Amino acid sequence: MENEFTFENPEYRKTYWHTCSHIMAQAVKRLWPEVKLAIGPSIDEGWYYDMDAPFAFTPEHLEQIEAEMRKICKEKLKLERFELPRAEAVKYMEEKEEPYKVELINDLPEDAHISFYKQGEFTDLCAGPHLDSTGRIKGNAIKLTQCCGAYWRGDSKRKMLQRIYGTAFTKKAELEEYLHMIEEAKKRDHRKLGKELGLFMMSEDGPGFPFFLPKGMDLKNALMDYWREIHRKAGYVEISTPIILNRRLWETSGHWDHYKENMYTTVIDDEDYAIKPMNCPGGVLVYKSEPRSYRDLPLRIGEFGQCHRNESSGSLHGLMRVRGFTQDDGHIFCTEDQILAECEAFTALVQKVYKTFGFTDIAYKVATRPAMRIGEDAVWDKAEHALMASLDALGIKYEVLVGEGAFYGPKIEYHLKDCLGRSW
């Protein structure tokens, strides 16, 4: 395979970055042996490692770590995999005074193969895979990008650790190109532009709940006018559904059992209610509000629905990840033999909107049934087939994301690229 050992191969890229995370951990342990290690996976643009240190990592610390990583790369240390029985693995990490690794081992399934990777004096608990030598990593193409807080195992009741992010490439020029793109992205950061242009603000009195300022409302209203115009032409009628609805509805929809941890709840007249995280159940109530005939179908309903979701504080990011937002939502009620035509028409509408705003490079993905879901497999079969068939009919190539659908149904995802080539 010609590109097997290049970044064009996503598996090689992931393995390269995972090896870098071990090199970074080794560098940290050389410099500060008292630091305790947690987890260090590869991610979309590099890797991170969560660590428990008795001091706060600074940019100067990151520079020291980078320098030590380059030394480790030059040492060309062989990475050797070995396994241990559970009791020996626990004892091994206890002797190294690595409590987070001990906890990870204890939480592994009874039949798990407990593997380690050794490079020089450093050994880490890891399933792998890794490159065969630290010498495979280009030392002068490594960059540690930031450090931030991260709760152990994502649990806000557990200890706050420090997460160091890094990235690396096979050539220094590629790293420089990437860092240049990061700087360009900072100039275009919507949080920075939103403040400078007077569009919106955030407040500590409502973390994750945006405030739109006068200029922002002018922009938002212009977008809503455009939305109404194109949806009216596409045969949609507009509705508005309540923000708070009774627990009975959320039990019927499946949200109470499958999504409750992401919902804000309250009590009214001694009954449980939830602030809606999505608009679908309210749209269904509108459909059920009067008798319908097959002659009324397809019925296309649109809404500017106000939704609220209980996102963790660490995941909040400007307007991209919030706790309260307005969703331009659509619900189409149709017969089974109308599904294909409606999916085709909807994708055409999506393409029209994105083209209006300059997005023509779209990647299409179909997310199929997850393990935790509602409904019968026969219904899922029909729904997934309809989504894929509609894209096939339009001559659109797509990727299948197995198991990444919502608990209530499969999805067509539209991934856009911005002016810097980033996918959204």
Side-chain angles (χ1 to χ4, degrees), residues 366-370 377 379-389 410:
V366 177
T368 61
R369 71 197 76 182
D377 282 347
V379 178
W380 279 89
D381 289 340
K382 290 180 180 178
E384 290 171 356
H385 176 265
L387 297 188
M388 295 180 194

Side-chain angles (χ1 to χ4, degrees), residues 33-272:
E34 68 274 21
V35 172
K36 308 302 179 188
L37 303 177
I39 57 171
S42 61
I43 53 177
D44 286 346
E45 294 188 352
W47 73 88
Y48 70 78
Y49 214 119
D50 289 346
M51 302 181 182
D52 187 356
F55 57 87
F57 286 111
T58 65
E60 290 73 24
H61 287 121
L62 300 191
E63 289 179 9
Q64 287 179 264
I65 298 169
E66 281 182 20
E68 192 63 36
M69 290 177 71
R70 286 191 280 273
K71 290 181 185 177
I72 294 170
C73 294
K74 289 180 180 178
E75 291 171 18
K76 298 181 179 180
L77 302 175
K78 184 179 180 182
L79 277 88
E80 301 173 285
R81 182 183 187 276
F82 64 93
E83 294 184 6
L84 289 176
R86 182 180 299 271
E88 290 182 34
V90 169
K91 182 181 178 183
Y92 185 69
M93 280 300 168
E94 285 177 341
E95 290 173 350
K96 287 184 172 290
E97 299 182 351
E98 295 287 2
Y100 299 100
K101 301 295 183 180
V102 171
E103 181 177 329
L104 290 171
I105 294 169
N106 285 328
D107 286 349
L108 289 172
E110 287 297 323
D111 59 349
H113 293 277
I114 303 174
S115 60
F116 298 82
Y117 279 82
K118 182 180 185 299
Q119 57 198 59
E121 83 289 351
F122 176 75
T123 302
D124 202 356
L125 172 73
C126 188
H130 288 282
L131 303 183
D132 61 352
S133 168
T134 62
R136 301 285 187 188
I137 305 299
K138 189 76 171 176
N140 66 355
I142 291 173
K143 182 65 179 177
L144 302 186
T145 54
Q146 64 167 317
C147 181
C148 62
Y151 290 112
W152 170 229
R153 307 189 94 165
D155 186 346
S156 60
K157 296 177 183 177
R158 305 292 297 274
K159 186 168 185 178
M160 175 71 80
L161 306 178
Q162 295 184 76
R163 176 172 294 179
I164 300 177
Y165 286 92
T167 193
F169 294 86
T170 56
K171 296 177 183 176
K172 186 178 180 181
E174 292 172 346
L175 173 64
E176 291 173 347
E177 182 181 341
Y178 173 81
L179 295 177
H180 174 71
M181 187 195 76
I182 295 298
E183 289 304 311
E184 290 298 309
K186 288 179 182 177
K187 297 176 187 177
R188 295 164 173 79
D189 190 318
H190 78 281
R191 294 167 298 179
K192 174 176 176 287
L193 294 175
K195 185 176 182 179
E196 291 175 352
L197 298 174
L199 301 178
F200 69 93
M201 59 169 271
M202 309 299 286
S203 170
E204 292 182 0
D205 292 312
F209 299 102
F211 291 71
F212 280 89
L213 304 177
K215 291 181 180 178
M217 281 306 301
D218 287 342
L219 181 59
K220 184 175 179 179
N221 286 331
L223 289 171
M224 291 169 70
D225 289 343
Y226 168 72
W227 181 93
R228 287 192 168 102
E229 177 188 345
I230 61 169
H231 279 75
R232 195 175 296 115
K233 290 179 179 177
Y236 285 77
V237 292
E238 185 177 351
I239 63 168
S240 177
T241 59
I243 294 176
I244 300 177
L245 292 163
N246 192 282
R247 170 177 175 169
R248 291 189 304 275
L249 176 66
W250 303 111
E251 288 178 332
T252 301
S253 68
H255 287 82
W256 198 267
D257 292 329
H258 297 273
Y259 202 74
K260 187 172 181 292
E261 69 276 7
N262 296 103
M263 298 167 68
Y264 295 111
T265 60
T266 188
V267 176
I268 302 174
D269 295 335
D270 297 323
E271 288 194 46
D272 289 328

